[in-house]
Amino acid sequence: MPPAILSFPKSAPRPLAEDAVRLTGATKGFGQKTLFEGLALTIRRGEFVALLGASGSGKTTLLRVLLGLDSLDAGSGEVTAPRAAVFQEPRLVPSQRVWRNVLMGVPRARQSRRLALDALSEVGLGASADAWPVTLSGGEAQRVALARALVLEPALLLLDEPFAALDALTRLKMQDLVRRLCDRHTPGTLLVTHDVDEAVRLADRVLVLRDRRITLDATVGEAREGSTPAGARLRAQLYSELGVDTFVPGAADHAPHAPGGAQA
Amino acid sequence: MTIDSLAAPSAVPLASSGWIALRPAARSAGSSGRFRGADATRLLLPVGLLLLWQGACSFGYIGPRTLESPLTVARTLVELTVSGVLWESLVASFNRAFAGFVIGGGLGLLLGIIAGLSRAGERAYDALLQMLRMVPFLAVIPLFVIWFGVDEEPKILLIALACIFPVYLNTFSGVRNVDPKLIEAATVFGMSRTAIATQIVAPMALPSIMVGVRYAMGVALLSLVAAEQVNATSGIGYLALNPRASLRTDIILGVVLLYSVLGLLVDLLLRTAQGYLLPWHRTVIEKAR
């Protein structure tokens, strides 16, 4: 088996002018179970890619590989630096005030309260700079985590189901915020999720990881709106790809989606 | 049942159908008033027992050889205070307890941090410490006398020995129980191992370490009694156990009372310290509100 190479440039010169991630022949498994095999993935700078997959499909492992937390069994690739991540949990340090948490990834020489405050006001939390993390709500804590990632001006932003633990209304607001900030900062973004609507709502490109490979790679484009035929078609396709065949919201004209899931 | 039940004072059976009365809770005179009431209830039993005890002694049901009356105990404590014996004993005991606590607690802290941070450290001595922990420290008093003589050393070292384990165990588990996801995030964000250890692991382990310190301070006080059996001429353990006092139940009871006060003081000290050392902790923030 060829040695697994995934290089992580440490300093400023960015070798990938266009691409944030380049992965070829990537293979990874645990024990007897292979999660993905010979996988190829390219994410361009400024591109928002959503990776869909059922639980246990290996999508989070792929993200961990890109973060350098797991290594590949085979294959090679490159990711740009700086990288930053937002996880499902905020993962803030409880013993540090909010603004200190924001500076977690900033080199000591560049750390300043000003920098943290700017990042916090970008996520609408300028007033909470001196709060302790335990006093924040789930949505606020997650926004701090977002500020902590964006303050690094990442070339690659990795999002591991960052909205999963939020309530429905907070989730929508947070999704809009993430999309807006990604448009402004233009990192290459990989969002790992199992939520089809979320993926289509946010991403430029949606991938499905299933049976150890990427089985679908669709550009969202016109299909973002669920009410359009293209939107309905893409969603139906994604659900079907994820093995949810019975529920196709608004896809078929002869069976309009009725409240309560009424059947003929 | 009808809508009348909204006005009815009696509780409605769960299973009954119809209207169920929802009433605002009866307002008490304010939280401080309620707390005073709760404290009064709490004091009822101890005060009652005290009165019973005093009564039993005053009316001759219990003789002074068995148990002196609360009033006599109080008088004795005042006498000991006025004569300076109490203060002298406290200072002597405090010096021993403090020295033992610093040595034992410091060692426990150091060993706990090392074992918590490195598997090698854990493998090297965790099993040994777990074994030593089970040795009743009273059993080593004769050994300590043989090794260290009968002066201050065996007393301080006995207290130190007793203090190692609570601090070690709580430090070790405190370091080990730091959320691995937090460490992972810090790694992703490029923090060095040293920075993670000092800026994340140490503060996160501190609440647990404080629990260990609290135990150790209690244990230090308790081991005084045992330590001061060894050729001591001062200290509160000596005061309680010296031959001349052995029949003086008032002195013994006075020292017991002293111990409970010291225990309360240690608790108060650590609660105060917690407010300063753990301002970020949920319990501290909630109390400040």
Side-chain angles (χ1 to χ4, degrees):
Chain A
M1 215 179 248
I5 300 158
L6 194 56
S7 56
F8 299 109
K10 276 225 183 292
S11 51
R14 289 174 181 166
L16 315 172
E18 283 293 308
D19 293 338
V21 171
R22 258 186 238 140
L23 215 54
T24 48
T27 300
K28 173 74 182 171
F30 289 110
Q32 293 296 307
K33 189 173 156 62
T34 306
L35 288 169
F36 45 83
E37 207 165 12
L39 187 135
L41 173 67
T42 305
I43 299 173
R44 291 195 315 280
R45 290 289 304 275
E47 187 183 30
F48 199 125
V49 176
L51 178 64
L52 279 164
S55 297
S57 61
K59 56 189 192 303
T60 292
T61 304
L62 181 58
L63 181 131
R64 289 175 60 85
V65 166
L66 297 179
L67 274 175
L69 291 170
D70 282 336
S71 53
L72 288 172
D73 295 339
S76 66
E78 289 170 298
V79 296
T80 45
R83 286 167 299 169
V86 180
F87 303 93
Q88 185 173 335
E89 323 78 19
R91 303 196 188 184
L92 304 178
V93 182
S95 59
Q96 294 179 357
R97 292 186 190 270
V98 162
W99 71 275
R100 275 270 153 218
N101 266 284
V102 171
L103 297 177
M104 181 188 265
V106 179
R108 190 165 279 276
R110 278 185 46 230
Q111 282 187 1
S112 78
R113 193 179 151 87
R114 184 75 258 156
L115 187 66
L117 285 177
D118 287 347
L120 280 170
S121 44
E122 247 195 329
V123 298
L125 281 175
S128 300
D130 289 316
W132 297 109
V134 289
T135 63
L136 302 177
S137 70
E140 288 170 339
Q142 204 58 320
R143 279 190 279 160
V144 174
L146 185 61
R148 176 177 67 181
L150 289 176
V151 78
L152 300 177
E153 291 292 339
L156 174 63
L157 178 62
L158 296 156
L159 306 172
D160 187 7
E161 306 200 29
F163 315 108
L166 303 177
D167 69 81
L169 295 176
T170 310
R171 184 181 309 146
L172 288 176
K173 284 188 203 159
M174 181 82 184
Q175 286 170 350
D176 286 344
L177 179 68
V178 164
R179 181 67 225 209
R180 214 165 48 238
L181 291 175
C182 283
D183 284 346
R184 189 187 304 165
H185 294 269
T186 65
T189 306
L190 180 68
L191 167 70
V192 161
T193 181
H194 53 244
D195 185 332
V196 167
D197 281 324
E198 178 176 294
V200 177
R201 190 178 148 86
L202 290 176
D204 305 318
R205 194 149 67 92
V206 181
L207 314 174
V208 173
L209 180 62
R210 182 187 184 184
D211 300 332
R212 299 187 295 282
R213 53 200 187 86
I214 288 172
T215 55
L216 186 79
D217 183 343
T219 305
V220 176
E222 301 278 284
R224 195 172 310 282
E225 291 301 320
S227 52
T228 65
R233 224 170 16 248
L234 176 61
R235 281 167 175 79
Q237 201 182 356
L238 289 169
Y239 274 116
S240 145
E241 201 60 49
L242 291 164
V244 189
D245 292 324
T246 50
F247 177 65
V248 185
D253 291 324
H254 60 273
H257 179 49
Q263 289 178 359
Chain B
M1 207 175 273
T2 69
I3 200 162
D4 281 349
S5 65
L6 274 172
S10 63
V12 181
L14 274 178
S16 75
S17 61
W19 292 92
I20 292 174
L22 301 176
R23 286 181 304 269
R27 287 278 174 86
S28 68
S31 60
S32 62
R34 210 167 54 229
F35 267 113
R36 234 171 279 144
D39 284 350
T41 320
R42 217 186 285 270
L43 284 175
L44 216 58
L45 187 62
V47 170
L49 283 176
L50 211 60
L51 288 176
L52 196 70
W53 173 12
Q54 180 66 46
C57 292
S58 301
F59 293 106
Y61 292 109
I62 303 174
R65 281 291 167 85
T66 315
L67 206 60
E68 288 280 10
S69 76
L71 281 176
T72 316
V73 172
R75 209 176 297 131
T76 308
L77 272 178
V78 170
E79 274 168 25
L80 287 173
T81 312
V82 171
S83 69
V85 174
L86 188 71
W87 183 245
E88 194 187 309
S89 306
L90 275 176
V91 170
S93 287
F94 176 80
N95 284 338
R96 288 180 191 129
F98 186 73
F101 168 75
V102 168
I103 296 171
L107 201 61
L109 185 70
L110 191 71
L111 291 174
I113 289 173
I114 294 172
L117 289 177
S118 85
R119 299 273 167 195
E122 184 192 358
R123 273 195 297 273
Y125 55 73
D126 183 62
L128 178 71
L129 281 178
Q130 298 288 354
M131 274 157 62
L132 285 178
R133 184 170 74 95
M134 304 312 287
V135 175
F137 69 94
L138 293 178
V140 301
I141 291 180
L143 270 183
F144 272 38
V145 171
I146 296 170
W147 294 341
F148 306 112
V150 290
D151 292 333
E152 288 300 287
E153 289 93 339
K155 301 181 185 69
I156 290 172
L157 289 176
L158 193 72
I159 295 167
L161 181 72
C163 286
I164 290 178
F165 303 110
V167 176
Y168 169 75
L169 291 173
N170 284 287
T171 304
F172 178 67
S173 78
V175 170
R176 274 295 157 88
N177 287 337
V178 174
D179 185 2
K181 289 182 167 179
L182 201 55
I183 311 264
E184 194 179 86
T187 315
V188 164
F189 279 89
M191 284 179 77
S192 67
R193 280 179 63 86
T194 322
I196 289 174
T198 56
Q199 291 169 34
I200 297 181
V201 175
M204 298 302 292
L206 200 53
S208 180
I209 293 174
M210 300 273 289
V211 171
V213 165
R214 197 157 155 179
Y215 269 113
M217 282 182 161
V219 167
L221 283 179
L222 293 181
S223 20
L224 274 176
V225 180
E228 289 176 347
Q229 285 178 33
V230 184
N231 189 42
T233 53
S234 61
I236 49 176
Y238 164 77
L239 201 60
L241 292 166
N242 92 69
R244 279 166 298 147
S246 57
L247 291 178
R248 293 278 306 271
T249 52
D250 54 338
I251 294 185
I252 297 175
L253 286 168
V255 171
V256 168
L257 201 66
L258 209 59
Y259 265 114
S260 60
V261 171
L262 286 177
L264 282 176
L265 284 179
V266 164
D267 236 41
L268 190 70
L269 180 76
L270 278 165
R271 274 173 206 278
T272 313
Q274 213 163 39
Y276 288 103
L277 292 175
L278 311 170
W280 51 271
H281 204 262
R282 191 180 294 279
T283 53
V284 175
I285 290 172
E286 273 166 9
K287 209 192 288 177
R289 273 186 187 150

